């Protein structure tokens, strides 16, 4: 399929981008609000065109471990779910990170805790960026704010995943997953040939030819001194991500006195709030973190030198705000405004919060 | 020692090249080492070393990748059948086997086990049933017999307290996705030969793309059972085999001749000898 302009849902964009980006396998389990990912894949039958394998697993425990098995053979394997399913996947995610297996996982966040609601939320920020599973590991976390980014980020995610041998999480929410927007599709990237796989994933376990040592995929190391060295290696990798892979967008920040910090759906709301504010003569800007890990801390710190205050807007009780505060290091007032449980705030109430909490 | 007799022409038996030279960590007397060996021999004899991918989850055999000279994945507790499912589906030309204990396969991984079998995944599952959690120090397993003592059933397993032992192999035989289901042991040379033939058959089922092949090996855990290796083998014959009868249960996709249908549907609680 060549470049085209199409109207599609965010979830559909993820599925179509998986096929177009040369993904080898998808394993999933239905959960609202992202079931359209697997539904689109099953309707598209990519196994008849690109050869991509698609399988409905018996649970998220199984699907993330299918990702583990398949991706550990050096293939591009992905899954998607929503908050309760991602909680089940956290065991698998720490094993994937611990065994250094590249893969792509999408979370269309819904309101929690527990079964919560099927409406959109952003309350899995901590789970996504601070662990979720056990141990000192990090996922590379990207937060799309449009259907187009849902599509494009799948391609970028594969590059990062294989560059760092690390799982990538595309952290979105039910609103972006469900909304329909126009989206430019891309030319298909063919799936890797066996030769390309050998080159790009020489560590993969697909059967040991006579001329190489066996490849072992494991996260086990019983000898503490070696386990510490391995952890240091992981930390070096994460430090390199912080140096080289931070992504963000700044809108109207050059002259801004007051800055919204928001990602995903919240950033879309803040764009409108900013427009209303500017029309009122208020110098308001927006910093939109695109990577939540690594977090654009340097950018926050820079902005904190010249702005008078920041309002962090999240569909949560206040999670990312902790990273913003850490980065700003008490230079200026930082406040949080949040709705949760599946409520999306209006641009007007967000601006009002800025006026009351920051501008005063 | 008459070292002069150690000559190539006098050689009658060697270690298969599919096992590495690493010293095994298993307790002396344990069945794991023998089970490894017969699998490795089959891989060697079928000439599929370059196409085989093994999966072992946690349990005493978590370090199996140190011993098999094939590409290998270590999996989370219970998840090997899901892991193997994807390896095989994405790499249909490989030979994929899982190697799992009873706690792994029949407790924490029951869902993955049943669904991989029911989908008829074209993989080999080797199930080491020693009736106990060996690795964590001998706690009750789903296959622990009624009356059997373990670290968490110090007075013996009781149905009212602990529920019934699970004969998961019989259960799997009733699923349409399994093509070959058998129960073996490796405690005597004759049984080792039979078990090896069963493993060979299982890999051939995979080669011929017939569905899931399942080989249970009833094995002793003399450390966990707190017995000498010899006592453990005797105890296994007297207590485990009557409850976990050896032999083929399903062959060529059909329940094997002579298998009492009742064994597959209803069974009395599996109990130690009174
Ligand atoms: C999620 C999780 N829970 C518990 C454990 C601890 N654990 C390790 S091995 C094991 C039991 C293994 O028993 P079995 O599968 O029968 O293997 P065996 O050691 O007897 O060969 C347990 C409970 C773990 N590693 N992971
Ligand atoms: S604890 Fe039991 S199963 Fe584990 S190595 Fe020792 S004898 Fe074997
Ligand atoms: Mg056991």
């Amino acid at each position: 399929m060549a470049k085209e302009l199409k109207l599609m849902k965010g979830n559909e964009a993820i599925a179509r981008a998986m096929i177009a980006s040369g993904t080898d396998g998808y394993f999933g389990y239905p959960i609202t609000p992202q079931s359209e990912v697997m539904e689109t894949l099953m309707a598209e039958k990519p196994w008849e065109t690109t050869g991509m394998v698609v399988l409905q697993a018996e649970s998220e425990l199984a699907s993330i471990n299918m990702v583990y098995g398949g991706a550990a053979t050096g293939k591009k394997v992905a899954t998607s779910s929503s908050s309760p399913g991602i909680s089940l996947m956290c065991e698998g995610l720490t094993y994937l990170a611990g065994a250094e297996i590249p893969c792509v996982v999408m979370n269309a966040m819904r309101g929690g805790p527990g079964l919560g609601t099927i409406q959109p939320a952003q309350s899995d920020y901590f789970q996504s960026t601070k662990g979720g599973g056990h141990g000192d590991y990090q996922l590379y976390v990207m937060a799309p704010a449009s259907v187009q980014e849902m599509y494009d980020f799948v391609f970028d995610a594969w590059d990062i995943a294989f560059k760092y041998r690390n799982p990538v999480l595309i952290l979105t929410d039910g609103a972006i997953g469900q909304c329909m927007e126009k989206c430019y599709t891309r030319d298909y990237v063919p799936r890797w040939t066996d030769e390309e796989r050998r080159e790009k994933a020489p560590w993969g376990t697909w059967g040991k030819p006579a001329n190489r040592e066996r490849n072992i995929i494991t996260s086990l190391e019983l000898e503490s001194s070696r386990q510490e060295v391995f952890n240091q290696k992981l930390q070096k990798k994460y430090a390199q991500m912080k140096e080289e892979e931070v992504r963000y967008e700044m809108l109207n920040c050059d002259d801004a006195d007051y800055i919204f910090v928001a990602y995903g759906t919240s950033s879309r709301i803040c764009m409108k709030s900013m427009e209303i504010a500017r029309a009122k003569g208020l110098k308001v800007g927006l910093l939109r973190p695109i990577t939540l890990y690594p977090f654009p801390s340097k950018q926050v710190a820079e902005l904190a030198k010249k702005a008078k205050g920041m309002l962090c807007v999240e569909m949560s009780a206040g999670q990312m705000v902790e990273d913003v505060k850490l980065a700003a290091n008490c230079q200026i007032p930082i406040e949080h405004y949040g709705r949760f449980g599946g409520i999306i705030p209006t641009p007007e109430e967000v601006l009002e919060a800025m006026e009351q909490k920051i501008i005063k | 020692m008459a070292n002069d007799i150690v000559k190539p022409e006098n050689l009658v038996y060697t270690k298969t090249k599919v096992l590495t030279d690493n010293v095994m960590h298993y307790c002396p007397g344990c069945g794991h080492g023998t089970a490894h060996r017969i699998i490795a021999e089959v891989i060697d004899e079928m000439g599929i070393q370059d196409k085989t991918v093994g999966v072992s989850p946690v349990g005493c055999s978590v370090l199996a990748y140190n011993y098999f000279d094939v590409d290998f994945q270590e999996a989370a507790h219970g998840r090997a059948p899901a892991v193997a499912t994807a390896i095989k589906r994405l790499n249909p030309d490989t030979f994929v086997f899982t190697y799992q204990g009873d706690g792994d396969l029949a407790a924490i991984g029951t869902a993955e086990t049943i669904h991989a079998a029911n989908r008829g995944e074209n993989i080999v599952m080797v199930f080491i049933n020693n009736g106990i959690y060996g690795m964590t120090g001998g706690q009750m397993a789903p296959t622990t017999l009624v009356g059997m003592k373990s670290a968490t059933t110090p007075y013996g397993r009781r149905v009212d307290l602990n529920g019934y032992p699970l004969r998961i192999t019989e259960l799997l035989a009733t699923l349409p996705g399994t093509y070959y289901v058998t129960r073996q042991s490796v405690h005597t040379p004759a049984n080792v030969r039979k078990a090896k033939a069963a493993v060979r058959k299982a890999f051939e089922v995979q080669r011929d793309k017939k569905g899931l092949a399942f080989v249970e090996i009833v094995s002793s855990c003399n450390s966990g059972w707190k017995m000498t290796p010899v006592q453990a083998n005797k105890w296994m014959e007297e207590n485990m085999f009557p409850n976990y009868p050896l032999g083929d249960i399903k062959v060529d996709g059909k329940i094997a001749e002579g298998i009492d249908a009742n064994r597959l549907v209803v069974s009395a609680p599996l109990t130690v000898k009174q």
Side-chain angles (χ1 to χ4, degrees):
Chain A
M1 194 169 74
K3 242 183 149 106
E4 269 184 291
L5 182 60
K6 286 193 148 189
L7 189 66
M8 62 175 91
K9 276 191 178 189
N11 289 332
E12 200 187 327
I14 289 277
R16 294 190 184 283
M18 280 178 189
I19 302 172
S21 62
T23 302
D24 294 296
Y26 171 92
F27 300 90
Y29 186 81
I31 183 169
T32 310
Q34 63 76 56
S35 296
E36 295 85 357
V37 177
M38 189 166 33
E39 287 169 9
T40 303
L41 288 170
M42 289 298 189
E44 286 296 306
K45 298 193 275 186
W47 51 91
E48 288 180 0
T49 50
T50 70
M52 176 181 175
V53 168
V54 187
L55 181 67
Q56 178 169 339
E58 64 271 28
S59 70
E60 290 88 351
L61 283 178
S63 56
I64 195 69
N65 281 283
M66 289 173 181
V67 170
Y68 182 101
T73 70
K75 296 220 166 193
K76 291 181 179 171
V77 188
T79 185
S80 63
S81 188
S82 177
S83 310
I86 298 289
S87 291
L88 269 184
M89 287 188 188
C90 282
E91 179 200 46
L93 287 170
T94 170
Y95 274 73
L96 281 153
E100 298 197 88
I101 305 176
C103 64
V104 175
V105 178
M106 191 274 270
N107 178 6
M109 286 182 278
R110 56 188 250 184
L115 198 49
T117 166
I118 57 171
Q119 303 301 329
Q122 295 181 312
S123 40
D124 304 346
Y125 179 92
F126 284 152
Q127 184 194 53
S128 312
T129 63
K130 315 281 178 198
H134 60 280
D136 277 318
Y137 77 93
Q138 295 290 346
L139 308 175
Y140 184 83
V141 185
M142 312 178 81
S146 64
V147 171
Q148 185 67 57
E149 284 190 343
M150 292 279 265
Y151 189 88
D152 292 337
F153 285 7
V154 173
F155 290 77
D156 301 342
W158 286 126
D159 294 340
I160 294 284
F162 277 84
K163 176 173 175 188
Y164 290 94
R165 276 190 67 175
N166 206 66
V168 173
L169 177 68
I170 297 179
L171 186 67
T172 186
D173 60 64
I176 293 172
Q178 293 292 333
C179 78
M180 285 188 104
E181 288 184 326
K182 58 184 196 228
C183 176
Y184 286 97
T185 60
R186 300 192 194 182
D187 290 336
Y188 274 21
V189 178
R191 287 173 51 239
W192 288 343
T193 60
D194 281 349
E195 204 161 300
E196 284 171 303
R197 170 168 62 157
R198 268 195 291 282
E199 193 187 304
K200 294 185 168 140
W203 41 263
T205 49
W206 58 78
K208 156 200 136 70
N211 62 358
R212 78 153 159 80
E213 290 288 295
R214 69 190 187 287
N215 282 337
I216 295 167
I217 295 290
T218 180
S219 60
L220 175 69
E221 178 50 73
L222 292 168
E223 172 59 43
S224 300
S225 58
R226 284 204 292 266
Q227 183 61 10
E228 181 173 45
V229 170
F230 173 70
N231 266 274
Q232 285 159 346
K233 179 186 158 202
L234 285 184
Q235 292 305 315
K236 247 174 98 178
K237 182 161 94 172
Y238 304 145
Q240 191 192 340
M241 283 182 190
K242 283 185 187 170
E243 277 309 308
E244 298 177 17
E245 314 295 350
V246 172
R247 290 175 64 175
Y248 57 90
E249 184 183 23
M250 280 190 200
L251 292 173
N252 293 331
C253 284
D254 286 346
D255 67 341
D257 291 327
Y258 310 105
I259 292 174
F260 286 121
V261 188
Y263 69 95
T265 292
S266 294
S267 69
R268 296 282 292 266
I269 306 296
C270 288
M271 282 180 205
K272 187 72 191 167
S273 312
M274 183 171 69
E275 222 175 79
I276 306 170
R278 288 268 165 182
K280 284 167 85 173
L282 294 166
K283 288 185 179 168
V284 171
L286 167 68
L287 169 65
R288 174 169 80 93
I290 293 175
T291 53
L292 302 182
Y293 188 91
F295 191 72
S297 304
K298 281 185 195 150
Q299 287 68 28
V300 170
E302 280 303 311
L303 290 174
K305 281 183 193 152
K306 42 184 199 172
K308 294 181 183 156
M310 292 183 185
L311 184 71
C312 201
V313 180
E314 301 172 69
M315 282 140 56
S316 79
Q319 301 191 7
M320 182 176 71
V321 66
E322 293 191 1
D323 286 336
V324 177
K325 282 186 177 170
L326 269 177
N329 201 11
C330 305
Q331 295 179 81
I332 50 167
I334 311 277
E335 295 291 341
H336 160 78
Y337 181 71
R339 298 294 301 269
F340 31 93
I343 302 287
I344 302 177
T346 64
E348 291 75 19
E349 70 175 289
V350 166
L351 179 57
E352 201 180 304
M354 176 68 109
E355 288 174 321
Q356 283 175 5
K357 293 181 173 220
I358 301 290
I359 303 174
K360 288 178 193 160
Chain B
M1 258 282 283
N3 261 336
D4 52 331
I5 63 162
V6 186
K7 291 184 195 143
E9 61 267 33
N10 291 336
L11 199 66
V12 289
Y13 199 56
T14 59
K15 180 182 76 65
T16 157
K17 72 172 195 299
V18 178
L19 286 181
T20 64
D21 288 332
N22 293 331
V23 176
M24 287 188 180
H25 69 282
Y26 300 115
C27 307
C30 174
H32 274 303
T34 316
H36 281 22
R37 188 187 167 109
I38 57 175
I39 296 168
E41 284 180 356
V42 166
I43 292 169
D44 193 9
E45 286 161 22
M46 287 178 70
I48 55 171
Q49 185 180 13
D50 60 341
K51 294 192 189 72
T52 300
V53 183
V55 186
S56 67
V58 297
C60 275
S61 51
V62 67
L63 290 167
Y65 55 73
N66 280 341
Y67 313 128
F68 285 99
D69 191 16
V70 297
D71 277 0
F72 222 96
Q73 295 189 18
E74 189 275 313
H77 198 11
R79 317 293 172 225
V83 169
T85 292
I87 300 174
K88 182 69 183 186
R89 286 197 177 226
L90 287 158
N91 303 274
D93 296 335
T94 51
F95 285 80
V96 182
F97 74 95
T98 70
Y99 186 101
Q100 306 172 250
D102 37 65
D104 188 86
L105 183 140
I108 195 167
T110 313
E112 286 80 0
T113 298
I114 288 183
H115 286 281
N118 201 47
R119 283 191 303 265
E121 296 296 340
N122 200 210
I123 57 174
V124 171
M125 290 176 69
V126 179
F127 168 40
I128 305 295
N129 177 8
N130 54 18
I132 206 158
Y133 284 20
M135 189 190 209
T136 39
Q139 298 82 7
M140 180 186 73
T143 48
T144 298
L145 300 175
V146 173
M148 185 173 164
K149 285 182 180 163
S150 76
T152 50
T153 54
Y155 308 108
R157 181 178 190 150
R158 274 169 47 181
V159 168
D160 60 345
L161 195 62
N162 310 108
Y164 298 96
L166 179 60
R167 209 143 55 180
I168 194 150
T169 305
E170 275 78 352
L171 195 151
L172 294 175
T174 65
L175 304 178
T178 53
Y179 191 77
Y180 176 52
V181 179
T182 186
R183 182 181 288 117
Q184 303 290 332
S185 82
V186 290
H187 70 305
T188 68
N191 285 97
V192 170
R193 273 196 292 276
K194 279 190 210 157
K196 184 177 165 185
V199 171
R200 169 93 192 205
K201 193 174 172 71
F203 275 85
E204 285 171 356
V205 166
Q206 181 169 176
R207 180 194 62 199
D208 301 339
K209 304 185 174 25
K210 297 286 193 189
L212 192 126
F214 190 90
V215 182
E216 172 178 339
I217 298 177
V218 182
S219 179
S220 67
C221 171
N222 41 284
S223 291
W225 297 353
K226 309 217 179 313
M227 296 174 194
T228 65
V230 174
Q231 283 170 342
N233 280 345
K234 188 160 180 288
W235 189 88
M236 182 165 70
E237 283 178 348
E238 288 173 357
N239 295 278
M240 292 292 273
F241 296 165
N243 290 298
Y244 299 109
L246 302 186
D248 290 344
I249 301 171
K250 190 177 191 179
V251 182
D252 297 340
K254 293 187 200 78
I255 298 300
E257 266 174 52
I259 297 291
D260 176 5
N262 276 334
R263 202 172 111 202
L264 303 178
V265 187
V266 278
S267 60
L270 317 177
T271 309
V272 290
K273 221 169 91 180
Q274 301 297 328

